[in-house]
Every structure is written in C-alpha cells, then in structure tokens.
Amino acid sequence: MRKFATLALASMIAVSGATAALATEYTKGVVKKVDLKAGKVTIIHEELVNLEMPAMTMVFKTMDTAMLEKMKEGENIEFIADRVKGKLTVTELK
C-alpha cells in the first residue's frame, strides 16, 4: 500500500509539473490590429496548445492597458493566452 501511495504522489507531481510547463508556453503571433478604445487586440497566431485551438486570427482582451499599448500592428510577438472570466485574454507578453 505504501508503494502505491508513493507512486500516486509521484504521478501527481509529474502531472502538475507538465501542466505548469504548458501554462508557461509562449505562442508566436503577429499583431493585426490594436483597438485601445475597446481594450482588444487582433492576433494572427500559431496553435494555442493550452486552449486546444488551431492557428488562426482571433481577437483577445489583455490583462491591462499597458500591455495593449506595447503592441504595434505588424509586430511579431510571443504571448500566453488563457480564459479569464470566460474571455480569451493575453496574460503575458514577451
């Protein structure tokens, strides 16, 4: 029984480590449009692995206005996106 508990704990640690690695994986994209007034950015992006979405063009919110102000149309970026309160949101920007 003790071996089973140890194996289960090791498996949980491995899975949580893999999840953390997925959460911090940056996606490459190109800024197509920045809408400061609406607080949104349109990005042509590669596959979003953590959201299980194929490469496409999508509109995202950003965590804050400062992040949005850093983006310029036509710029290559690397970013992390996630669902925040049900909205697709850029949470980190390189």
Side-chain angles (χ1 to χ4, degrees):
M1 184 68 172
R2 186 174 204 142
K3 286 183 182 181
F4 177 75
T6 303
L7 181 59
L9 180 61
S11 296
M12 287 174 20
I13 291 170
V15 167
S16 66
T19 303
L22 269 179
T24 58
E25 185 174 321
Y26 283 83
T27 302
K28 293 180 181 178
V30 177
V31 177
K32 184 173 181 181
K33 179 181 177 183
V34 177
D35 187 342
L36 288 170
K37 192 172 185 177
K40 297 179 180 181
V41 60
T42 304
I43 302 173
I44 304 166
H45 63 80
E46 294 181 350
E47 178 183 12
L48 292 167
V49 177
N50 63 317
L51 295 172
E52 298 179 1
M53 292 186 178
M56 65 176 86
T57 302
M58 294 178 62
V59 176
F60 296 89
K61 294 194 77 59
T62 57
M63 288 298 288
D64 56 44
T65 306
M67 185 183 291
L68 195 62
E69 290 172 345
K70 291 179 184 178
M71 296 185 203
K72 306 287 183 236
E73 292 180 16
E75 177 182 34
N76 291 316
I77 60 169
E78 290 186 41
F79 68 101
I80 295 177
D82 208 346
R83 289 189 191 279
V84 177
K85 297 180 183 177
K87 305 279 186 188
L88 291 173
T89 306
V90 175
T91 58
E92 292 185 45
L93 184 64
K94 258 189 187 178

